[in-house]
Amino acid sequence: MKDKDCIFCKIANGEIPSTTLYEDEDFRVILDLGPGSKGHALILPKEHFRDLNALDPAVAAKVLPLAAKIGAAQMKALGAAGYNVVQNNGTEAGQTVFHFHVHIIPRYAGAPKIVTWTPGSPSKEELAETGSRIREAL
Ligand code: AMP
Ligand code: ZN
């Protein structure tokens, strides 16, 4: 299904032009217009899924192999030393376009880290309690 008001549906299906790196029957991979680093790519399914939880499992199964293919090409073509695979779900997690997509962000030697957090130091009890709450929700 497509969403007529969704910009990524339009890009993925070629109605809006993009710098396309790869295309097959399920996906279009494009360059991000606001890249975190040179070569930052987005994997867009051609069908509309709001986020990871809405994604068709058959499409989901193809996403990580495609991410690896794009990441390897970024390293080979651009001299990246590695890459981050980032996927945001929900506004508070940084999702701004509500059509599932995966960021493949090349990382260059000596450049500042892009995906970081400050490690917490939960107690054993807190870890156990948090773990139990999540397990019960599975
Ligand atoms: P997110 O914050 O995970 O929803 O990511 C949305 C990403 O889409 C951002 O990195 C934007 O720079 C990128 N973006 C938004 N509109 C376009 C567009 N028309 N073409 C390419 N990238 C876009
Ligand atoms: Zn869409």
Side-chain angles (χ1 to χ4, degrees):
M1 229 180 68
K2 313 317 187 242
D3 177 335
K4 65 176 177 44
D5 298 321
C6 172
I7 186 166
F8 279 5
C9 277
K10 293 190 173 93
I11 293 172
N13 292 283
E15 289 166 46
I16 293 180
S18 61
T19 304
T20 295
L21 306 178
Y22 173 87
E23 184 181 4
D24 63 22
E25 62 178 333
D26 297 307
F27 302 100
R28 183 184 295 269
V29 182
I30 66 168
L31 285 182
D32 194 304
L33 281 185
S37 68
K38 185 181 175 70
H40 181 160
L42 298 174
I43 298 177
L44 311 179
K46 290 188 173 177
E47 296 294 313
H48 183 83
F49 306 101
R50 179 182 169 82
D51 57 22
L52 181 59
N53 290 90
L55 189 62
D56 180 327
V59 176
K62 297 175 183 173
V63 169
L64 276 183
L66 181 52
K69 182 184 177 84
I70 299 300
Q74 289 166 331
M75 292 177 71
K76 187 173 168 189
L78 304 175
Y83 59 94
N84 293 113
V85 177
V86 176
Q87 199 277 309
N88 299 325
N89 297 281
T91 305
E92 293 306 317
Q95 187 175 9
T96 59
V97 180
F98 288 84
H99 173 124
F100 171 88
H101 54 278
V102 175
H103 300 257
I104 317 293
I105 311 172
R107 295 286 310 281
Y108 297 94
K113 287 192 168 58
I114 295 170
V115 181
T116 62
W117 59 87
T118 305
S121 48
S123 64
K124 270 187 186 167
E125 293 73 22
E126 189 181 345
L127 284 173
E129 200 260 338
T130 305
S132 144
R133 284 172 63 181
I134 296 172
R135 280 194 302 276
E136 281 165 21
L138 289 172

PDB file of all heavy atoms in Angstrom, residues 24-60:
ATOM      1  N   ASP A  24      15.310  -2.124  -6.312  1.00  0.00           N
ATOM      2  CA  ASP A  24      14.795  -3.435  -6.727  1.00  0.00           C
ATOM      3  C   ASP A  24      13.282  -3.407  -6.538  1.00  0.00           C
ATOM      4  O   ASP A  24      12.709  -2.340  -6.337  1.00  0.00           O
ATOM      5  CB  ASP A  24      15.503  -4.592  -5.998  1.00  0.00           C
ATOM      6  CG  ASP A  24      15.277  -4.580  -4.487  1.00  0.00           C
ATOM      7  OD1 ASP A  24      14.281  -3.971  -4.032  1.00  0.00           O
ATOM      8  OD2 ASP A  24      16.087  -5.188  -3.758  1.00  0.00           O
ATOM      9  N   GLU A  25      12.629  -4.569  -6.575  1.00  0.00           N
ATOM     10  CA  GLU A  25      11.157  -4.538  -6.527  1.00  0.00           C
ATOM     11  C   GLU A  25      10.633  -4.091  -5.164  1.00  0.00           C
ATOM     12  O   GLU A  25       9.517  -3.583  -5.068  1.00  0.00           O
ATOM     13  CB  GLU A  25      10.547  -5.888  -6.919  1.00  0.00           C
ATOM     14  CG  GLU A  25      10.935  -7.020  -5.993  1.00  0.00           C
ATOM     15  CD  GLU A  25      10.266  -8.329  -6.378  1.00  0.00           C
ATOM     16  OE1 GLU A  25       9.192  -8.302  -6.975  1.00  0.00           O
ATOM     17  OE2 GLU A  25      10.864  -9.383  -6.067  1.00  0.00           O
ATOM     18  N   ASP A  26      11.433  -4.225  -4.122  1.00  0.00           N
ATOM     19  CA  ASP A  26      10.969  -3.889  -2.771  1.00  0.00           C
ATOM     20  C   ASP A  26      11.461  -2.541  -2.257  1.00  0.00           C
ATOM     21  O   ASP A  26      10.817  -1.953  -1.380  1.00  0.00           O
ATOM     22  CB  ASP A  26      11.458  -4.950  -1.773  1.00  0.00           C
ATOM     23  CG  ASP A  26      10.880  -6.310  -2.063  1.00  0.00           C
ATOM     24  OD1 ASP A  26       9.651  -6.406  -2.174  1.00  0.00           O
ATOM     25  OD2 ASP A  26      11.666  -7.277  -2.213  1.00  0.00           O
ATOM     26  N   PHE A  27      12.632  -2.100  -2.718  1.00  0.00           N
ATOM     27  CA  PHE A  27      13.296  -0.948  -2.101  1.00  0.00           C
ATOM     28  C   PHE A  27      13.852   0.034  -3.117  1.00  0.00           C
ATOM     29  O   PHE A  27      14.214  -0.354  -4.230  1.00  0.00           O
ATOM     30  CB  PHE A  27      14.502  -1.402  -1.260  1.00  0.00           C
ATOM     31  CG  PHE A  27      14.169  -2.380  -0.174  1.00  0.00           C
ATOM     32  CD1 PHE A  27      14.406  -3.740  -0.358  1.00  0.00           C
ATOM     33  CD2 PHE A  27      13.637  -1.954   1.029  1.00  0.00           C
ATOM     34  CE1 PHE A  27      14.107  -4.656   0.647  1.00  0.00           C
ATOM     35  CE2 PHE A  27      13.336  -2.860   2.037  1.00  0.00           C
ATOM     36  CZ  PHE A  27      13.571  -4.209   1.848  1.00  0.00           C
ATOM     37  N   ARG A  28      13.975   1.293  -2.667  1.00  0.00           N
ATOM     38  CA  ARG A  28      14.857   2.257  -3.311  1.00  0.00           C
ATOM     39  C   ARG A  28      15.816   2.745  -2.212  1.00  0.00           C
ATOM     40  O   ARG A  28      15.378   3.025  -1.089  1.00  0.00           O
ATOM     41  CB  ARG A  28      14.073   3.442  -3.893  1.00  0.00           C
ATOM     42  CG  ARG A  28      14.966   4.446  -4.649  1.00  0.00           C
ATOM     43  CD  ARG A  28      14.153   5.649  -5.123  1.00  0.00           C
ATOM     44  NE  ARG A  28      13.159   5.283  -6.102  1.00  0.00           N
ATOM     45  CZ  ARG A  28      13.342   5.274  -7.426  1.00  0.00           C
ATOM     46  NH1 ARG A  28      14.509   5.647  -7.933  1.00  0.00           N
ATOM     47  NH2 ARG A  28      12.369   4.945  -8.240  1.00  0.00           N
ATOM     48  N   VAL A  29      17.086   2.847  -2.539  1.00  0.00           N
ATOM     49  CA  VAL A  29      18.069   3.381  -1.600  1.00  0.00           C
ATOM     50  C   VAL A  29      18.558   4.707  -2.166  1.00  0.00           C
ATOM     51  O   VAL A  29      18.987   4.772  -3.334  1.00  0.00           O
ATOM     52  CB  VAL A  29      19.254   2.414  -1.404  1.00  0.00           C
ATOM     53  CG1 VAL A  29      20.232   2.976  -0.383  1.00  0.00           C
ATOM     54  CG2 VAL A  29      18.758   1.030  -0.976  1.00  0.00           C
ATOM     55  N   ILE A  30      18.462   5.757  -1.349  1.00  0.00           N
ATOM     56  CA  ILE A  30      18.776   7.114  -1.824  1.00  0.00           C
ATOM     57  C   ILE A  30      19.811   7.773  -0.923  1.00  0.00           C
ATOM     58  O   ILE A  30      20.046   7.324   0.202  1.00  0.00           O
ATOM     59  CB  ILE A  30      17.502   7.993  -1.862  1.00  0.00           C
ATOM     60  CG1 ILE A  30      16.968   8.238  -0.440  1.00  0.00           C
ATOM     61  CG2 ILE A  30      16.433   7.350  -2.740  1.00  0.00           C
ATOM     62  CD1 ILE A  30      15.891   9.318  -0.357  1.00  0.00           C
ATOM     63  N   LEU A  31      20.369   8.868  -1.418  1.00  0.00           N
ATOM     64  CA  LEU A  31      21.220   9.698  -0.548  1.00  0.00           C
ATOM     65  C   LEU A  31      20.327  10.635   0.258  1.00  0.00           C
ATOM     66  O   LEU A  31      19.398  11.254  -0.290  1.00  0.00           O
ATOM     67  CB  LEU A  31      22.218  10.505  -1.384  1.00  0.00           C
ATOM     68  CG  LEU A  31      23.403   9.730  -1.951  1.00  0.00           C
ATOM     69  CD1 LEU A  31      24.333  10.684  -2.708  1.00  0.00           C
ATOM     70  CD2 LEU A  31      24.181   8.980  -0.862  1.00  0.00           C
ATOM     71  N   ASP A  32      20.613  10.750   1.553  1.00  0.00           N
ATOM     72  CA  ASP A  32      19.891  11.661   2.447  1.00  0.00           C
ATOM     73  C   ASP A  32      20.227  13.102   2.073  1.00  0.00           C
ATOM     74  O   ASP A  32      21.404  13.426   1.823  1.00  0.00           O
ATOM     75  CB  ASP A  32      20.306  11.351   3.901  1.00  0.00           C
ATOM     76  CG  ASP A  32      19.395  11.977   4.929  1.00  0.00           C
ATOM     77  OD1 ASP A  32      19.212  13.215   4.896  1.00  0.00           O
ATOM     78  OD2 ASP A  32      18.876  11.249   5.772  1.00  0.00           O
ATOM     79  N   LEU A  33      19.201  13.963   2.051  1.00  0.00           N
ATOM     80  CA  LEU A  33      19.427  15.375   1.693  1.00  0.00           C
ATOM     81  C   LEU A  33      20.068  16.165   2.835  1.00  0.00           C
ATOM     82  O   LEU A  33      20.559  17.263   2.616  1.00  0.00           O
ATOM     83  CB  LEU A  33      18.098  16.044   1.316  1.00  0.00           C
ATOM     84  CG  LEU A  33      17.549  15.773  -0.083  1.00  0.00           C
ATOM     85  CD1 LEU A  33      16.289  16.610  -0.330  1.00  0.00           C
ATOM     86  CD2 LEU A  33      18.590  16.094  -1.150  1.00  0.00           C
ATOM     87  N   GLY A  34      20.031  15.618   4.029  1.00  0.00           N
ATOM     88  CA  GLY A  34      20.666  16.283   5.185  1.00  0.00           C
ATOM     89  C   GLY A  34      21.635  15.313   5.839  1.00  0.00           C
ATOM     90  O   GLY A  34      21.419  14.899   6.986  1.00  0.00           O
ATOM     91  N   PRO A  35      22.694  14.946   5.128  1.00  0.00           N
ATOM     92  CA  PRO A  35      23.541  13.835   5.583  1.00  0.00           C
ATOM     93  C   PRO A  35      24.324  14.119   6.864  1.00  0.00           C
ATOM     94  O   PRO A  35      24.812  15.224   7.077  1.00  0.00           O
ATOM     95  CB  PRO A  35      24.512  13.651   4.401  1.00  0.00           C
ATOM     96  CG  PRO A  35      24.551  14.970   3.710  1.00  0.00           C
ATOM     97  CD  PRO A  35      23.179  15.562   3.872  1.00  0.00           C
ATOM     98  N   GLY A  36      24.445  13.074   7.681  1.00  0.00           N
ATOM     99  CA  GLY A  36      25.308  13.141   8.866  1.00  0.00           C
ATOM    100  C   GLY A  36      26.769  13.008   8.475  1.00  0.00           C
ATOM    101  O   GLY A  36      27.658  13.415   9.228  1.00  0.00           O
ATOM    102  N   SER A  37      27.023  12.417   7.341  1.00  0.00           N
ATOM    103  CA  SER A  37      28.385  12.345   6.789  1.00  0.00           C
ATOM    104  C   SER A  37      28.240  12.098   5.296  1.00  0.00           C
ATOM    105  O   SER A  37      27.157  11.739   4.808  1.00  0.00           O
ATOM    106  CB  SER A  37      29.195  11.216   7.445  1.00  0.00           C
ATOM    107  OG  SER A  37      28.651   9.961   7.063  1.00  0.00           O
ATOM    108  N   LYS A  38      29.343  12.263   4.568  1.00  0.00           N
ATOM    109  CA  LYS A  38      29.304  12.089   3.108  1.00  0.00           C
ATOM    110  C   LYS A  38      28.883  10.657   2.764  1.00  0.00           C
ATOM    111  O   LYS A  38      29.475   9.697   3.267  1.00  0.00           O
ATOM    112  CB  LYS A  38      30.696  12.366   2.536  1.00  0.00           C
ATOM    113  CG  LYS A  38      30.787  12.330   1.023  1.00  0.00           C
ATOM    114  CD  LYS A  38      32.238  12.591   0.602  1.00  0.00           C
ATOM    115  CE  LYS A  38      32.438  12.450  -0.891  1.00  0.00           C
ATOM    116  NZ  LYS A  38      31.816  13.506  -1.656  1.00  0.00           N
ATOM    117  N   GLY A  39      27.827  10.538   1.966  1.00  0.00           N
ATOM    118  CA  GLY A  39      27.373   9.222   1.526  1.00  0.00           C
ATOM    119  C   GLY A  39      26.215   8.651   2.332  1.00  0.00           C
ATOM    120  O   GLY A  39      25.729   7.562   2.022  1.00  0.00           O
ATOM    121  N   HIS A  40      25.759   9.401   3.352  1.00  0.00           N
ATOM    122  CA  HIS A  40      24.627   8.962   4.204  1.00  0.00           C
ATOM    123  C   HIS A  40      23.459   8.534   3.313  1.00  0.00           C
ATOM    124  O   HIS A  40      22.939   9.325   2.527  1.00  0.00           O
ATOM    125  CB  HIS A  40      24.249  10.148   5.097  1.00  0.00           C
ATOM    126  CG  HIS A  40      23.135   9.911   6.066  1.00  0.00           C
ATOM    127  ND1 HIS A  40      22.970  10.710   7.169  1.00  0.00           N
ATOM    128  CD2 HIS A  40      22.121   9.020   6.124  1.00  0.00           C
ATOM    129  CE1 HIS A  40      21.912  10.316   7.861  1.00  0.00           C
ATOM    130  NE2 HIS A  40      21.370   9.288   7.239  1.00  0.00           N
ATOM    131  N   ALA A  41      23.066   7.274   3.461  1.00  0.00           N
ATOM    132  CA  ALA A  41      22.022   6.710   2.599  1.00  0.00           C
ATOM    133  C   ALA A  41      20.794   6.325   3.415  1.00  0.00           C
ATOM    134  O   ALA A  41      20.877   6.102   4.630  1.00  0.00           O
ATOM    135  CB  ALA A  41      22.571   5.476   1.883  1.00  0.00           C
ATOM    136  N   LEU A  42      19.661   6.261   2.721  1.00  0.00           N
ATOM    137  CA  LEU A  42      18.406   5.825   3.336  1.00  0.00           C
ATOM    138  C   LEU A  42      17.842   4.671   2.531  1.00  0.00           C
ATOM    139  O   LEU A  42      17.707   4.778   1.300  1.00  0.00           O
ATOM    140  CB  LEU A  42      17.371   6.966   3.322  1.00  0.00           C
ATOM    141  CG  LEU A  42      17.703   8.240   4.093  1.00  0.00           C
ATOM    142  CD1 LEU A  42      16.615   9.295   3.822  1.00  0.00           C
ATOM    143  CD2 LEU A  42      17.814   7.961   5.588  1.00  0.00           C
ATOM    144  N   ILE A  43      17.488   3.590   3.212  1.00  0.00           N
ATOM    145  CA  ILE A  43      16.783   2.477   2.575  1.00  0.00           C
ATOM    146  C   ILE A  43      15.292   2.724   2.749  1.00  0.00           C
ATOM    147  O   ILE A  43      14.801   2.820   3.884  1.00  0.00           O
ATOM    148  CB  ILE A  43      17.163   1.136   3.234  1.00  0.00           C
ATOM    149  CG1 ILE A  43      18.657   0.853   3.063  1.00  0.00           C
ATOM    150  CG2 ILE A  43      16.311  -0.001   2.673  1.00  0.00           C
ATOM    151  CD1 ILE A  43      19.129  -0.416   3.758  1.00  0.00           C
ATOM    152  N   LEU A  44      14.585   2.845   1.631  1.00  0.00           N
ATOM    153  CA  LEU A  44      13.142   3.083   1.671  1.00  0.00           C
ATOM    154  C   LEU A  44      12.404   1.902   1.061  1.00  0.00           C
ATOM    155  O   LEU A  44      12.623   1.587  -0.122  1.00  0.00           O
ATOM    156  CB  LEU A  44      12.771   4.326   0.847  1.00  0.00           C
ATOM    157  CG  LEU A  44      13.569   5.617   1.064  1.00  0.00           C
ATOM    158  CD1 LEU A  44      13.036   6.713   0.133  1.00  0.00           C
ATOM    159  CD2 LEU A  44      13.493   6.056   2.507  1.00  0.00           C
ATOM    160  N   PRO A  45      11.515   1.228   1.790  1.00  0.00           N
ATOM    161  CA  PRO A  45      10.645   0.251   1.133  1.00  0.00           C
ATOM    162  C   PRO A  45       9.704   0.977   0.175  1.00  0.00           C
ATOM    163  O   PRO A  45       9.346   2.134   0.409  1.00  0.00           O
ATOM    164  CB  PRO A  45       9.830  -0.372   2.270  1.00  0.00           C
ATOM    165  CG  PRO A  45      10.414   0.128   3.534  1.00  0.00           C
ATOM    166  CD  PRO A  45      11.218   1.361   3.218  1.00  0.00           C
ATOM    167  N   LYS A  46       9.307   0.300  -0.899  1.00  0.00           N
ATOM    168  CA  LYS A  46       8.386   0.936  -1.854  1.00  0.00           C
ATOM    169  C   LYS A  46       6.954   0.966  -1.325  1.00  0.00           C
ATOM    170  O   LYS A  46       6.157   1.805  -1.738  1.00  0.00           O
ATOM    171  CB  LYS A  46       8.465   0.220  -3.203  1.00  0.00           C
ATOM    172  CG  LYS A  46       9.800   0.495  -3.885  1.00  0.00           C
ATOM    173  CD  LYS A  46       9.865  -0.021  -5.297  1.00  0.00           C
ATOM    174  CE  LYS A  46      11.180   0.457  -5.941  1.00  0.00           C
ATOM    175  NZ  LYS A  46      11.362  -0.066  -7.295  1.00  0.00           N
ATOM    176  N   GLU A  47       6.636   0.045  -0.408  1.00  0.00           N
ATOM    177  CA  GLU A  47       5.326   0.069   0.242  1.00  0.00           C
ATOM    178  C   GLU A  47       5.407   0.946   1.485  1.00  0.00           C
ATOM    179  O   GLU A  47       6.481   1.113   2.066  1.00  0.00           O
ATOM    180  CB  GLU A  47       4.903  -1.353   0.650  1.00  0.00           C
ATOM    181  CG  GLU A  47       4.706  -2.297  -0.530  1.00  0.00           C
ATOM    182  CD  GLU A  47       3.531  -1.883  -1.410  1.00  0.00           C
ATOM    183  OE1 GLU A  47       2.453  -1.584  -0.864  1.00  0.00           O
ATOM    184  OE2 GLU A  47       3.700  -1.846  -2.644  1.00  0.00           O
ATOM    185  N   HIS A  48       4.262   1.484   1.884  1.00  0.00           N
ATOM    186  CA  HIS A  48       4.229   2.351   3.058  1.00  0.00           C
ATOM    187  C   HIS A  48       4.057   1.539   4.342  1.00  0.00           C
ATOM    188  O   HIS A  48       3.059   0.841   4.505  1.00  0.00           O
ATOM    189  CB  HIS A  48       3.078   3.362   2.936  1.00  0.00           C
ATOM    190  CG  HIS A  48       3.025   4.323   4.076  1.00  0.00           C
ATOM    191  ND1 HIS A  48       3.797   5.462   4.129  1.00  0.00           N
ATOM    192  CD2 HIS A  48       2.323   4.294   5.239  1.00  0.00           C
ATOM    193  CE1 HIS A  48       3.548   6.108   5.260  1.00  0.00           C
ATOM    194  NE2 HIS A  48       2.654   5.409   5.958  1.00  0.00           N
ATOM    195  N   PHE A  49       5.030   1.647   5.234  1.00  0.00           N
ATOM    196  CA  PHE A  49       4.925   1.117   6.597  1.00  0.00           C
ATOM    197  C   PHE A  49       5.339   2.259   7.496  1.00  0.00           C
ATOM    198  O   PHE A  49       6.389   2.873   7.280  1.00  0.00           O
ATOM    199  CB  PHE A  49       5.864  -0.072   6.811  1.00  0.00           C
ATOM    200  CG  PHE A  49       5.699  -1.182   5.796  1.00  0.00           C
ATOM    201  CD1 PHE A  49       6.594  -1.305   4.740  1.00  0.00           C
ATOM    202  CD2 PHE A  49       4.646  -2.075   5.894  1.00  0.00           C
ATOM    203  CE1 PHE A  49       6.445  -2.316   3.800  1.00  0.00           C
ATOM    204  CE2 PHE A  49       4.485  -3.094   4.956  1.00  0.00           C
ATOM    205  CZ  PHE A  49       5.386  -3.210   3.906  1.00  0.00           C
ATOM    206  N   ARG A  50       4.543   2.507   8.522  1.00  0.00           N
ATOM    207  CA  ARG A  50       4.802   3.669   9.380  1.00  0.00           C
ATOM    208  C   ARG A  50       6.149   3.558  10.121  1.00  0.00           C
ATOM    209  O   ARG A  50       6.897   4.517  10.223  1.00  0.00           O
ATOM    210  CB  ARG A  50       3.642   3.774  10.375  1.00  0.00           C
ATOM    211  CG  ARG A  50       3.761   4.892  11.356  1.00  0.00           C
ATOM    212  CD  ARG A  50       2.585   4.882  12.336  1.00  0.00           C
ATOM    213  NE  ARG A  50       2.859   5.798  13.432  1.00  0.00           N
ATOM    214  CZ  ARG A  50       2.654   7.107  13.365  1.00  0.00           C
ATOM    215  NH1 ARG A  50       2.179   7.647  12.275  1.00  0.00           N
ATOM    216  NH2 ARG A  50       2.943   7.884  14.395  1.00  0.00           N
ATOM    217  N   ASP A  51       6.425   2.371  10.628  1.00  0.00           N
ATOM    218  CA  ASP A  51       7.641   2.193  11.430  1.00  0.00           C
ATOM    219  C   ASP A  51       7.994   0.717  11.487  1.00  0.00           C
ATOM    220  O   ASP A  51       7.357  -0.104  10.807  1.00  0.00           O
ATOM    221  CB  ASP A  51       7.460   2.806  12.837  1.00  0.00           C
ATOM    222  CG  ASP A  51       6.270   2.209  13.574  1.00  0.00           C
ATOM    223  OD1 ASP A  51       5.838   1.081  13.214  1.00  0.00           O
ATOM    224  OD2 ASP A  51       5.759   2.856  14.507  1.00  0.00           O
ATOM    225  N   LEU A  52       8.979   0.379  12.303  1.00  0.00           N
ATOM    226  CA  LEU A  52       9.459  -1.013  12.362  1.00  0.00           C
ATOM    227  C   LEU A  52       8.360  -1.981  12.774  1.00  0.00           C
ATOM    228  O   LEU A  52       8.290  -3.106  12.275  1.00  0.00           O
ATOM    229  CB  LEU A  52      10.643  -1.094  13.341  1.00  0.00           C
ATOM    230  CG  LEU A  52      11.302  -2.461  13.512  1.00  0.00           C
ATOM    231  CD1 LEU A  52      11.836  -2.992  12.188  1.00  0.00           C
ATOM    232  CD2 LEU A  52      12.428  -2.371  14.530  1.00  0.00           C
ATOM    233  N   ASN A  53       7.491  -1.547  13.685  1.00  0.00           N
ATOM    234  CA  ASN A  53       6.449  -2.459  14.163  1.00  0.00           C
ATOM    235  C   ASN A  53       5.362  -2.710  13.126  1.00  0.00           C
ATOM    236  O   ASN A  53       4.636  -3.698  13.218  1.00  0.00           O
ATOM    237  CB  ASN A  53       5.856  -1.947  15.472  1.00  0.00           C
ATOM    238  CG  ASN A  53       6.867  -2.090  16.588  1.00  0.00           C
ATOM    239  OD1 ASN A  53       7.651  -1.177  16.820  1.00  0.00           O
ATOM    240  ND2 ASN A  53       6.915  -3.227  17.217  1.00  0.00           N
ATOM    241  N   ALA A  54       5.271  -1.834  12.152  1.00  0.00           N
ATOM    242  CA  ALA A  54       4.276  -2.007  11.077  1.00  0.00           C
ATOM    243  C   ALA A  54       4.878  -2.728   9.868  1.00  0.00           C
ATOM    244  O   ALA A  54       4.147  -3.103   8.944  1.00  0.00           O
ATOM    245  CB  ALA A  54       3.744  -0.640  10.653  1.00  0.00           C
ATOM    246  N   LEU A  55       6.187  -2.934   9.872  1.00  0.00           N
ATOM    247  CA  LEU A  55       6.871  -3.465   8.687  1.00  0.00           C
ATOM    248  C   LEU A  55       6.504  -4.929   8.435  1.00  0.00           C
ATOM    249  O   LEU A  55       6.477  -5.740   9.363  1.00  0.00           O
ATOM    250  CB  LEU A  55       8.385  -3.342   8.916  1.00  0.00           C
ATOM    251  CG  LEU A  55       9.301  -3.642   7.738  1.00  0.00           C
ATOM    252  CD1 LEU A  55       9.050  -2.680   6.588  1.00  0.00           C
ATOM    253  CD2 LEU A  55      10.758  -3.565   8.195  1.00  0.00           C
ATOM    254  N   ASP A  56       6.229  -5.254   7.177  1.00  0.00           N
ATOM    255  CA  ASP A  56       5.960  -6.634   6.763  1.00  0.00           C
ATOM    256  C   ASP A  56       7.211  -7.477   7.051  1.00  0.00           C
ATOM    257  O   ASP A  56       8.314  -7.112   6.618  1.00  0.00           O
ATOM    258  CB  ASP A  56       5.658  -6.604   5.255  1.00  0.00           C
ATOM    259  CG  ASP A  56       5.351  -7.983   4.690  1.00  0.00           C
ATOM    260  OD1 ASP A  56       5.908  -8.984   5.157  1.00  0.00           O
ATOM    261  OD2 ASP A  56       4.550  -8.027   3.743  1.00  0.00           O
ATOM    262  N   PRO A  57       7.070  -8.599   7.752  1.00  0.00           N
ATOM    263  CA  PRO A  57       8.246  -9.418   8.088  1.00  0.00           C
ATOM    264  C   PRO A  57       9.039  -9.876   6.866  1.00  0.00           C
ATOM    265  O   PRO A  57      10.272  -9.994   6.940  1.00  0.00           O
ATOM    266  CB  PRO A  57       7.653 -10.621   8.835  1.00  0.00           C
ATOM    267  CG  PRO A  57       6.340 -10.138   9.360  1.00  0.00           C
ATOM    268  CD  PRO A  57       5.837  -9.113   8.377  1.00  0.00           C
ATOM    269  N   ALA A  58       8.360 -10.094   5.743  1.00  0.00           N
ATOM    270  CA  ALA A  58       9.086 -10.537   4.529  1.00  0.00           C
ATOM    271  C   ALA A  58       9.972  -9.411   3.998  1.00  0.00           C
ATOM    272  O   ALA A  58      11.071  -9.661   3.484  1.00  0.00           O
ATOM    273  CB  ALA A  58       8.087 -10.973   3.456  1.00  0.00           C
ATOM    274  N   VAL A  59       9.508  -8.183   4.138  1.00  0.00           N
ATOM    275  CA  VAL A  59      10.318  -7.028   3.737  1.00  0.00           C
ATOM    276  C   VAL A  59      11.433  -6.827   4.773  1.00  0.00           C
ATOM    277  O   VAL A  59      12.607  -6.614   4.420  1.00  0.00           O
ATOM    278  CB  VAL A  59       9.439  -5.752   3.623  1.00  0.00           C
ATOM    279  CG1 VAL A  59      10.288  -4.527   3.294  1.00  0.00           C
ATOM    280  CG2 VAL A  59       8.351  -5.961   2.565  1.00  0.00           C
ATOM    281  N   ALA A  60      11.077  -6.959   6.030  1.00  0.00           N
ATOM    282  CA  ALA A  60      12.057  -6.773   7.118  1.00  0.00           C
ATOM    283  C   ALA A  60      13.252  -7.709   6.944  1.00  0.00           C
ATOM    284  O   ALA A  60      14.401  -7.320   7.181  1.00  0.00           O
ATOM    285  CB  ALA A  60      11.390  -7.014   8.469  1.00  0.00           C
TER     286      ALA A  60
END
